[in-house]
Amino acid sequence: MGNIRSRLTSCCSGPCEDLIVELKQGKLRGREFQSVLTKTDYYAFLGIPYAKPPLGELRFQAPEPATSWDGVYDATTERGICQQVDFLFKKIVIGSEDCLYLNVFTPSPPCKTDEPKPVMVFIHGGGFCLGSGSRKAYSADYLTPRDVILVTINYRLQVLGFLNLGLPECPGNVGLKDQVLALKWVKDNIAQFGGDPENITIFGESAGGSAVHYHLLSPMSKGLFNKAIMQSGTSICSWSITYNPLDQAFDVGKRCGFQGTDKKELLQYLKKLPAKKLTVAGVDMILAYRDKYPARIANISPSVEEIKEGAFLPDFPENLCKSATPVPTIFGVNDKEGMLLFVEMHKKLMHKVREDFTLVVTDNFKVDPALVPELSTKIKQFYFGDKEVGMDTAYELIDLYTDIYFYCTYEALDFLINSDHPPYIYEFAYSGKLNFLSRLVNFNKKTKLKGAAHADELFYLFHPLVMPFHPKLEGDCFKVIENMSRMWTNFAKRGNPSHVIDWKPSTSSEPCYLQITDDLKMIEGKLFGKRLEFLKNLLDPVAKPYNIF
């Protein structure tokens, strides 16, 4: 502790008010913001390079640490996000290959920090194909006033981040390896910002939650964090892993004009192409698979690495769960995750399922074709009874797909529950003004679906500058933000998230979870217990969730 304190007092050059921090890479200057929640100041160091730009020969390869710079680096503005397609709005390519930057947000100027502060590193979601650590989406206004340091990161996405040819020059999972290097940077540098390198909590949502779980399993990530929060995702989810990465790579190559069968030749071909062409090819492949398999979500995900030396993922997640890093964890989902079906990019799904309900089974589970009619009939009867699929049964369809998306998650939970650190489990069920995806689904529609859709909890943890509407932070909305920010930061500080109520961890003998609405309530039993028990009993003996790739 004394060593960290001495680093805190020597980390700055010049007056504290200048917000200049000195790292091994060089000096950088930050800026000040004011929290919309507490009206107190906090401090940001934006667009810090943690890796060399992954350009040229570094494309598809593991990241290399960033080089030093001369003078004072301007960390008052963010740098580019990683290249992706904006699905929701304009469907155009945005971002850059040069994108391996991170942001650091502190509650006080580093020079005025007496005691090292807990550190929270957020990993954004987006199906491993979208998103960024940008302040526009993940502002620190709610968390840093709780006396923690927040770090948000970019990592390579889609083809550029997850192409896997099983070659030393393209080993796979470089997007996850970016995250590892970012965590190493935090471990090595966060004391200069007033943070405690021995108290780092990683947390993420959707693909970010899956990434957090991957870090629990990967040998590369050991020792880089102390606690973990998984929001709506684990590595066991079928959308979190690609089983046939070589087929996927050649599919991308074909869409880019490659006609050969040699993977070394394919690699050389893809390395010469503009990054934008690769990203467009990846999107075309995803959309083609969504047309072919309309009753599920397809994306480009992590995969097991053929080259074991230096591998992030040397085996399938279910085989690595037994040796997961033993740290305190939080895991949870939202009560209406399946509302994701009703956003624009999935609008065909309900129509297709209504036409042929067997797609629910065939598109989501690997199963003997002879069993499909019986399984489909039982699932439809359980969720819909005598009703048909349609807007009148929107909630039934949402519940079904909430369970399908996260059915496989509970295999990961079984390992966590039986570990040395039983998880704290939650269900976010609040339907309020900041539920972004719910509002997007209901925008200009006759229906007004209630509940917490996928990702709706995020804007009770982060102030959403990107959101086109900004309701007043008052009443129940303020109360939920207060509870969420307190619980997440309490966990980061001491490994126990309790706030207002005693949040108990879930064990095999006493399963329980915290229900988060405008109030907090402990519920005995398993989350979605009856529904998941039905699917488990029906499918486990004969079927397995699978990724279509």
Side-chain angles (χ1 to χ4, degrees):
M1 185 69 74
N3 184 47
I4 296 175
R5 284 202 189 97
S6 66
R7 291 170 70 180
L8 291 178
T9 57
S10 63
C11 69
C12 298
S13 297
C16 243
E17 291 73 17
D18 290 345
L19 287 178
I20 294 178
V21 173
E22 188 166 356
L23 310 176
K24 291 179 181 179
Q25 292 170 273
K27 298 177 183 178
L28 52 82
R29 175 181 283 111
R31 61 172 296 182
E32 181 181 303
F33 290 104
Q34 186 178 80
S35 167
V36 298
L37 185 68
T38 61
K39 307 304 180 185
T40 56
D41 294 336
Y42 68 94
Y43 305 86
F45 301 83
L46 307 171
I48 306 171
Y50 68 85
K52 292 180 182 178
L55 308 174
E57 289 302 311
L58 293 182
R59 179 185 282 182
F60 304 132
Q61 294 198 29
E64 296 183 1
T67 55
S68 301
W69 56 78
D70 296 324
V72 179
Y73 182 88
D74 181 10
T76 64
T77 58
E78 294 189 88
R79 303 308 194 268
I81 66 172
C82 291
Q83 193 168 101
Q84 58 196 270
V85 166
D86 190 336
F87 272 105
L88 288 178
F89 300 105
K90 297 181 180 178
K91 299 185 179 178
I92 59 174
V93 177
I94 57 177
S96 167
E97 253 192 298
D98 179 7
C99 64
L100 299 185
Y101 301 94
L102 55 78
N103 302 323
V104 179
F105 303 94
T106 70
S108 57
C111 287
K112 293 184 178 178
T113 300
D114 295 326
E115 293 292 333
K117 298 185 183 301
V119 182
M120 301 185 74
V121 181
F122 182 72
I123 304 174
H124 71 80
F128 301 104
C129 294
L130 301 169
S132 75
S134 168
R135 180 176 174 267
K136 290 181 180 179
Y138 303 109
S139 171
D141 289 47
Y142 303 163
L143 295 177
T144 53
R146 308 307 181 203
D147 211 33
V148 301
I149 289 177
L150 173 68
V151 180
T152 62
I153 66 174
N154 292 342
Y155 57 94
R156 280 173 283 181
L157 304 166
Q158 217 227 53
V159 172
L160 293 169
F162 294 95
L163 192 79
N164 183 350
L165 284 169
L167 296 170
E169 302 85 0
C170 184
N173 298 327
V174 295
L176 290 169
K177 293 170 185 175
D178 293 342
Q179 296 173 18
V180 171
L181 187 58
L183 290 174
K184 288 180 178 178
W185 187 97
V186 171
K187 188 81 170 173
D188 292 340
N189 292 283
I190 206 63
Q192 306 302 102
F193 297 88
D196 185 351
E198 301 306 320
N199 189 8
I200 297 172
T201 299
I202 57 174
F203 69 126
E205 183 271 338
S206 192
S210 295
V212 168
H213 191 235
Y214 273 119
H215 289 297
L216 286 169
L217 308 182
S218 175
M220 286 186 72
S221 308
K222 291 186 182 301
L224 297 179
F225 59 93
N226 308 91
K227 293 179 281 292
I229 303 173
M230 294 154 277
Q231 300 170 214
S232 302
T234 75
S235 67
I236 304 293
C237 293
S238 59
W239 45 264
S240 292
I241 188 153
T242 293
Y243 287 100
N244 301 299
L246 205 56
D247 292 348
Q248 194 179 76
F250 275 96
D251 192 324
V252 169
K254 186 176 180 180
R255 293 174 190 278
C256 290
F258 182 76
Q259 301 297 323
T261 57
D262 184 274
K263 62 183 184 179
K264 291 184 178 180
E265 292 178 2
L266 173 61
L267 175 60
Q268 294 308 310
Y269 184 86
L270 295 180
K271 286 175 73 171
K272 294 176 182 177
L273 294 178
K276 182 175 179 179
K277 189 165 186 177
L278 296 176
T279 299
V280 170
V283 169
D284 288 344
M285 178 176 66
I286 290 169
L287 293 178
Y289 274 92
R290 285 179 179 169
D291 285 338
K292 187 175 181 180
Y293 301 93
R296 67 162 293 120
I297 291 180
N299 54 347
I300 299 173
S301 306
S303 54
V304 175
E305 292 166 52
E306 194 174 316
I307 300 173
K308 302 307 178 187
E309 185 176 354
F312 178 90
L313 191 64
D315 202 349
F316 288 103
E318 54 266 36
N319 297 331
L320 297 173
C321 277
K322 294 178 182 178
S323 56
T325 300
V327 298
T329 58
I330 292 176
F331 170 77
V333 297
N334 298 347
D335 70 325
K336 300 298 179 188
E337 296 276 359
M339 206 184 295
L340 183 65
L341 304 174
F342 291 87
V343 298
E344 184 70 14
M345 67 178 118
H346 305 304
K347 64 182 179 180
K348 294 179 181 178
L349 189 146
M350 185 170 66
H351 176 69
K352 292 290 186 181
V353 169
R354 182 169 59 238
E355 282 185 338
D356 182 5
F357 195 84
T358 63
L359 292 174
V360 170
V361 175
T362 57
D363 283 10
N364 292 287
F365 299 95
K366 189 177 292 184
V367 63
D368 184 342
L371 298 175
V372 169
E374 178 187 354
L375 295 176
S376 302
T377 298
K378 289 182 177 179
I379 290 173
K380 187 176 181 183
Q381 180 62 38
F382 181 84
Y383 284 90
F384 296 88
D386 297 328
K387 301 175 184 177
E388 292 302 317
V389 176
M391 284 310 302
D392 290 341
T393 54
Y395 286 115
E396 286 85 348
L397 187 64
I398 288 169
D399 285 347
L400 170 60
Y401 269 84
T402 296
D403 297 346
I404 284 176
Y405 291 154
F406 298 98
Y407 161 76
C408 49
T409 290
Y410 288 85
E411 186 172 349
L413 273 183
D414 283 344
F415 284 106
L416 292 173
I417 286 171
N418 290 294
S419 71
D420 293 336
H421 298 280
Y424 295 92
I425 300 176
Y426 72 87
E427 176 195 34
F428 185 84
Y430 179 64
S431 185
K433 297 175 182 178
L434 290 174
N435 289 45
F436 178 66
L437 196 77
S438 299
R439 293 189 68 156
L440 189 66
V441 166
N442 290 320
F443 186 68
N444 282 342
K445 291 185 174 67
K446 294 180 181 179
T447 56
K448 295 297 179 184
L449 298 171
K450 299 289 186 181
H454 190 64
D456 272 352
E457 87 284 8
L458 283 175
F459 295 139
Y460 298 91
L461 288 168
F462 302 97
H463 180 58
L465 300 176
V466 71
M467 190 179 278
F469 48 85
H470 291 281
K472 292 183 179 179
L473 303 182
E474 59 187 11
D476 289 342
C477 179
F478 176 85
K479 186 178 180 182
V480 175
I481 292 171
E482 173 78 7
N483 288 339
M484 291 287 285
S485 62
R486 291 286 186 188
M487 290 187 295
W488 263 235
T489 55
N490 283 350
F491 181 74
K493 292 172 183 177
R494 59 176 184 264
N496 185 327
S498 295
H499 166 69
V500 179
I501 189 172
D502 182 17
W503 185 352
K504 299 176 181 178
S506 184
T507 64
S508 54
S509 59
E510 296 184 66
C512 60
Y513 62 93
L514 180 72
Q515 186 180 71
I516 303 171
T517 60
D518 54 350
D519 211 344
L520 303 175
K521 183 180 180 181
M522 285 302 304
I523 307 292
E524 294 182 0
K526 294 182 178 180
L527 183 58
F528 304 151
K530 291 181 180 179
R531 286 160 31 196
L532 290 171
E533 195 68 26
F534 163 77
L535 285 178
K536 182 178 178 66
N537 291 338
L538 180 69
L539 296 172
D540 273 8
V542 295
K544 181 179 180 181
Y546 78 110
N547 189 307
I548 56 179
F549 289 118

